[in-house]
Structures are given as structure tokens and as C-alpha cells.
Amino acid sequence: MRINPATSLIGAAGRSAAQSTSAGNLTLIGAASNIIIVQAAERRGAHLGFWVFFAVGAPLTLLNLAVYWAWLGMILIGRGLLGGRLGNFRKIRST
């Protein structure tokens, strides 16, 4: 099967975006914007520590990963790369 360079570049950009989003959601130090928000919250009297942020970020990241895996699976099955049949999805997509 021939791989289209434009498609593989879009896939690489999508994977990179998903990875950076997951890292930013998971931990306080995963993204610079998290530090800015925490500093602004502390100026207003709220304290958001590493573990408080992680307690919210971990479930959110797991949910994001589940969505990413489901979406990636649909794309790979749709392109026939996993060897499975897509059935009705291919009929809907072609109309």
C-alpha cells in the first residue's frame, strides 16, 4: 500500500497535537499556561498544588486518550490499515 506523504504529515501533526494536549492536561508543569493560571489563582488567594492539579488532570487525560485511540482506530480501519471491515461507516462517509 502506498502512503501519501501529505496524509502522513497530517497524521504526524495530529499525533503531536494530541501528545502536547495530553501532557498539558496531566500535570501542572506540562504546559507553561498552567503555571500562569496557577500564579494568577494564587494572587487571588487560591492554592493549586501539583497533586491537586494532578487529581483533576489524570482522569481528564485518560478520557482524552480514550477519545484519541477511538478516533485513530476509526481512521485506520477506514483506510484499511488494520485489516478490519468498517461496514456502515464507509457507506455513510461516501455519501
Side-chain angles (χ1 to χ4, degrees):
M1 180 176 171
R2 186 168 176 235
I3 297 175
N4 183 348
T7 305
S8 62
L9 179 62
I10 292 169
R15 284 189 304 273
S16 179
Q19 291 166 351
S20 66
T21 300
S22 296
N25 288 340
L26 183 61
T27 64
L28 182 62
I29 59 173
S33 60
N34 295 347
I35 302 296
I36 294 168
I37 296 300
V38 167
Q39 288 176 346
E42 286 180 351
R43 281 194 296 266
R44 291 178 171 83
H47 177 70
L48 295 172
F50 182 86
W51 293 110
V52 172
F53 194 93
F54 184 78
V56 175
L60 182 61
T61 301
L62 291 175
L63 178 64
N64 281 342
L65 290 175
V67 170
Y68 295 148
W69 275 104
W71 184 255
L72 182 61
M74 283 184 2
I75 290 171
L76 292 177
I77 291 171
R79 291 184 181 167
L81 298 177
L82 293 180
R85 292 188 174 262
L86 202 53
N88 292 336
F89 183 73
R90 186 167 285 164
K91 290 177 189 174
I92 293 169
R93 198 174 83 182
S94 65
T95 58

